[in-house]
Amino acid sequence: MLQVLSFPVRGQPADFKRISSQLQNLTCDVIRSMLERDMKVTVNSDDPAYFRAYMNENLSALAKDAAFTRSEILKLTRNAFEVSWLPADRKAQYLKQVDAFA
């Protein structure tokens, strides 16, 4: 199940964390809807050693359990870097790597 931690206003990120082994379809639909509206939604991990869910596993679960496309997964990944607190030059480096992977 994904837990909605916050609902964004335009231009602010929304953060989702997977907290169990099952994804809720409603939450997946909410994430997809936010992506379609160009909201800066991200999927992350919260204390991965405890919850046994790392970010890559959360993204893989969306692809497998909710049929998220490669494009949607890449957008979630880009959003994570775009809303991070990294300096602009570091963001640009990581975004370039994401784009090269795409």
Side-chain angles (χ1 to χ4, degrees), residues 10-35:
R10 185 163 294 283
Q12 293 186 356
D15 181 24
F16 291 86
K17 293 179 172 53
R18 185 172 178 217
I19 59 172
S20 78
S21 62
Q22 296 294 319
L23 293 172
Q24 289 182 335
N25 287 335
L26 174 62
T27 303
C28 295
D29 291 342
V30 169
I31 294 171
R32 183 171 275 126
S33 177
M34 289 176 160
L35 283 176

Side-chain angles (χ1 to χ4, degrees), residues 20-79:
S20 78
S21 62
Q22 296 294 319
L23 293 172
Q24 289 182 335
N25 287 335
L26 174 62
T27 303
C28 295
D29 291 342
V30 169
I31 294 171
R32 183 171 275 126
S33 177
M34 289 176 160
L35 283 176
E36 290 169 354
R37 290 176 174 79
D38 290 326
M39 298 172 95
K40 296 290 182 184
V41 62
T42 66
V43 173
N44 302 291
S45 60
D46 184 19
D47 198 356
Y50 180 75
F51 288 111
R52 305 271 190 244
Y54 289 85
M55 189 172 88
N56 61 326
E57 293 167 336
N58 293 339
L59 294 171
S60 293
L62 286 173
K64 179 183 174 191
D65 299 342
F68 270 54
T69 66
R70 180 181 177 94
S71 176
E72 290 170 321
I73 298 297
L74 288 169
K75 182 62 177 166
L76 290 168
T77 304
R78 283 191 61 81
N79 287 348

